[in-house]
Amino acid sequence: MNDRMYIDGQFVEASNKQTRDIYNPATGEVIAQAPEATPADVEKAIQNARRAFDEGAWKDATALHRSRVLFKIAEAVKSNVAELAKLETLNMGKPIVESEFDIADTVTCFEYYGGLATKITGEVNPVPDNALNLTLKEPVGVCGQIIPWNYPLMMLSWKIAPALAAGCTVVLKPAEQTPLSALRFAELIDKIEELPKGVINIVSGDGPITGATLVKSYDVDKVAFTGSTEVGRWILKTSAETNLKKVTLELGGKSPNIFFADADFEAAIDGALFGIFINQGEVCSAGSRILVEKSIHKKFVEAMAEKAKRIKLGDGMDRDTKMGPLVTEEHRARVESYIKIGKDSSAKLVLGGKRPGGALANGYFVEPTIFDNVDNNSRLGQEEVFGPVVAVIPFENDNEAIRLANANPYGLAAAVWSKDFGRAMQVVKQVRAGIVWVNHMQPTYMEAPWGGYKQSGIGRELGKYGVEAYLQAKQVHINLNPAPIAWY
Ligand code: NAP
Ligand code: MG
């Protein structure tokens, strides 16, 4: 198992030799030690990314070259799906079947941006002059990329693939809890000869030190961040106080999953459970508020609880497991604090709320938890739990559903379930969220934009928008008829 960082094509320890214990959350056992980068280590990575960018070996390479390298990266990941999926599950806890999907999506992400690299084009602007006025698309430069622990390698691909397609160089920091797949990724791509040294750097370590060094640096042109709203705010503020680096943020959510009485009932129940309990609820777009029409409310909650009892909790390495442990003991404590908030409120605990015990006692497990009759304005109705805890909120009519859906500071995602397309489309139009699913929840496509309205973030990832976030426009004006100017 690789336990070194990747700076300028070299595998290195932290300069002060400091490491951090990495745990298997299913058992609480230490499974590896990862380097804890110092500010000087991060600075070294930044300077190498800077040199790799400024010397031009990557940004001035042909688009076809960059495309081919991205396909080679995809191939390197694809050839190691089983190993990377296992690493992901051991380090993060999620069911192995989900890890396999994540690694497959990682491959697709590199392939998608491999294809897009050769389709980045500029524009010719119709100015009222005898001139050629062009817009060139140029890479933003050196990018600091900071990712969370819920989809470790997939988040890496969402960051690195579009940046490389655009011609940027990167320093990526995985979450402190889950660096293993990123460090292994570095070993795999190191073998790609056509990828110049310094284009991809990976530094593991702590947010307030390793991550913050990236955010404060005057040599970093852009920071791309996925994580908590709190850290996102700090990044924006720090950019303002330093070099005004470009910032894209993908933050939290409290996404409404809206069910009308005319929805296909069984599909709706599955959609409600999948929407919240996939990945143990550790999903930024988790359908953590279930808004359900009053006429089916009682039946709906009963059916949800009945089916949720069948969700198998267990070690992610077990192929039958549907929900693994939470990522860390601290995170479980945070999730449990919200369960307490729910219990102390007027809401009714319908299912779960406990640790499973028995063979799972050493892992950081929490049962699928359903609270009914949650007040949308209460803390459980408003705040992101980031775990397997769902708030059911009944509504009277369509207008109330839309009002409740929007009565939240977040706006990442939403879903609406109905057989009446016109009705569903009213919700799609009125809900202030960056992603809205109809009769589905959670499918994510590399081809389509991803990102939040309101306090769920700034900018978009994935699709063509994903690469735009790593490009800047340069206007070039060419006078086709130079003549003396009668000016003085
Ligand atoms: P977090 O602190 O925002 O962590 C996300 C990433 O930011 C990690 O790589 C983290 O590094 C880094 N970071 C932390 N402080 C930083 C700083 N001052 N400067 C630069 N980088 C910094 O989130 P978390 O503590 O892992 O989770 C807390 C909550 O955030 C969750 O409960 C959830 O509500 C939300 N969250 C949202 C998403 C999402 O996909 N939108 C993902 C994860 C978490 P370290 O890992 O070293 O701290
Ligand atoms: Mg942290």
Side-chain angles (χ1 to χ4, degrees):
M1 198 178 289
N2 178 35
D3 52 3
R4 289 167 304 160
M5 303 187 285
Y6 190 58
I7 300 177
D8 200 28
Q10 307 293 320
F11 292 96
V12 295
E13 301 177 322
S15 51
N16 63 3
K17 308 271 187 253
Q18 207 183 314
T19 59
R20 165 192 297 269
D21 288 342
I22 303 299
Y23 293 85
N24 174 352
T27 60
E29 285 162 357
V30 174
I31 52 170
Q33 259 90 31
E36 195 70 7
T38 65
D41 298 332
V42 179
E43 189 54 37
K44 191 172 165 205
I46 293 170
Q47 290 316 320
N48 281 300
R50 186 79 261 164
R51 179 191 42 73
F53 185 79
D54 292 341
E55 288 179 357
W58 188 246
K59 78 175 161 66
D60 299 332
T62 62
L64 185 61
H65 179 88
R66 291 202 300 274
S67 165
R68 285 177 173 153
V69 169
L70 283 161
F71 278 105
K72 287 197 172 193
I73 296 176
E75 203 49 51
V77 175
K78 201 179 196 168
S79 309
N80 294 276
V81 171
E83 182 206 338
L84 289 164
K86 187 176 164 198
L87 209 50
E88 211 76 308
T89 289
L90 285 175
N91 190 176
M92 189 275 167
K94 71 174 71 192
I96 186 75
V97 178
E98 289 183 32
S99 289
E100 286 164 358
F101 280 124
D102 291 359
I103 310 300
D105 278 351
T106 301
V107 173
T108 310
C109 186
F110 281 108
E111 288 174 338
Y112 175 77
Y113 284 107
L116 201 57
T118 52
K119 280 105 198 151
I120 297 166
T121 56
E123 288 157 354
V124 179
N125 305 308
V127 294
D129 233 332
N130 187 10
L132 193 56
N133 189 292
L134 307 174
T135 307
L136 304 186
K137 294 287 180 69
E138 297 193 339
V140 167
V142 174
C143 301
Q145 305 186 311
I146 301 171
I147 58 172
W149 42 258
N150 55 344
Y151 290 90
L153 202 64
M154 202 168 96
M155 287 293 111
L156 172 150
S157 71
W158 287 26
K159 295 284 182 285
I160 292 183
L164 262 58
C168 294
T169 62
V170 308
V171 180
L172 177 128
K173 189 200 95 64
E176 62 187 276
Q177 304 88 346
T178 57
L180 298 184
S181 55
L183 298 178
R184 178 67 184 127
F185 171 84
E187 283 186 330
L188 297 174
I189 56 142
D190 181 61
K191 300 193 174 67
I192 300 171
E193 281 168 17
E194 298 85 346
L195 177 65
K197 291 196 185 320
V199 172
I200 297 178
N201 302 273
I202 294 177
V203 291
S204 51
D206 187 30
I209 296 172
T210 312
T213 305
L214 287 172
V215 178
K216 289 181 199 158
S217 170
Y218 281 76
D219 287 318
V220 171
D221 300 299
K222 173 191 162 88
V223 165
F225 171 79
T226 300
S228 64
T229 301
E230 184 194 357
V231 176
R233 276 184 212 286
W234 179 81
I235 289 174
L236 205 53
K237 186 164 142 255
T238 307
S239 162
E241 287 166 355
T242 55
N243 61 340
L244 281 175
K245 56 179 66 66
K246 314 290 172 272
V247 175
T248 45
L249 303 173
E250 207 268 83
L251 310 174
K254 189 79 183 176
S255 298
N257 200 355
I258 305 167
F259 296 90
F260 287 124
D262 67 357
D264 179 308
F265 191 77
E266 290 307 320
I269 298 299
D270 289 347
L273 298 176
F274 186 82
I276 179 66
F277 295 129
I278 184 93
N279 209 44
Q280 306 79 235
E282 296 167 324
V283 182
C284 52
S285 57
S288 51
R289 283 188 298 154
I290 289 181
L291 307 186
V292 56
E293 195 165 349
K294 269 203 180 123
S295 59
I296 56 164
H297 168 222
K298 190 164 173 281
K299 188 173 140 206
F300 197 92
V301 174
E302 280 167 11
M304 263 181 80
E306 205 40 53
K307 274 194 172 170
K309 279 182 202 154
R310 292 190 237 149
I311 297 173
K312 187 172 180 297
L313 241 70
D315 189 321
M317 290 309 295
D318 180 347
R319 286 211 160 260
D320 293 335
T321 291
K322 292 287 182 279
M323 247 177 68
L326 297 178
V327 68
T328 58
E329 203 163 7
E330 299 77 57
H331 187 57
R332 177 172 63 179
R334 185 174 184 275
V335 169
E336 287 177 336
S337 76
Y338 277 100
I339 292 174
K340 177 158 190 326
I341 288 168
K343 283 181 176 167
D344 292 346
S345 75
S346 59
K348 180 179 171 216
L349 177 66
V350 176
L351 187 78
K354 301 188 298 295
R355 301 177 181 184
L360 305 181
N362 291 332
Y364 314 133
F365 294 88
V366 170
E367 291 173 350
T369 299
I370 301 172
F371 280 99
D372 190 17
N373 280 320
V374 174
D375 175 356
N376 191 64
N377 293 323
S378 69
R379 286 192 65 192
L380 192 59
Q382 288 287 305
E383 297 176 19
E384 182 175 50
V385 178
F386 222 67
V389 180
V390 73
V392 180
I393 303 165
F395 66 82
E396 203 80 59
N397 54 41
D398 300 27
N399 283 343
E400 193 189 11
I402 292 165
R403 184 184 63 73
L404 288 167
N406 285 333
N408 191 276
Y410 292 116
L412 184 56
V416 54
W417 299 72
S418 169
K419 284 189 191 133
D420 180 341
F421 191 66
R423 194 179 187 192
M425 282 312 291
Q426 279 306 317
V427 176
V428 170
K429 278 179 67 179
Q430 301 298 329
V431 163
R432 298 192 64 214
I435 305 126
V436 188
W437 290 285
V438 178
N439 294 329
H440 215 328
M441 193 168 206
Q442 301 309 359
T444 304
Y445 301 98
M446 301 307 147
E447 298 82 355
W450 181 274
Y453 279 28
K454 301 196 280 183
Q455 293 182 34
S456 287
I458 296 178
R460 292 292 178 273
E461 297 190 285
L462 301 185
K464 291 179 191 162
Y465 289 83
V467 81
E468 284 294 331
Y470 290 94
L471 292 166
Q472 53 194 344
K474 177 182 276 180
Q475 188 211 140
V476 181
H477 184 82
I478 305 164
N479 183 357
L480 297 178
N481 186 22
I485 307 173
W487 178 62
Y488 39 83

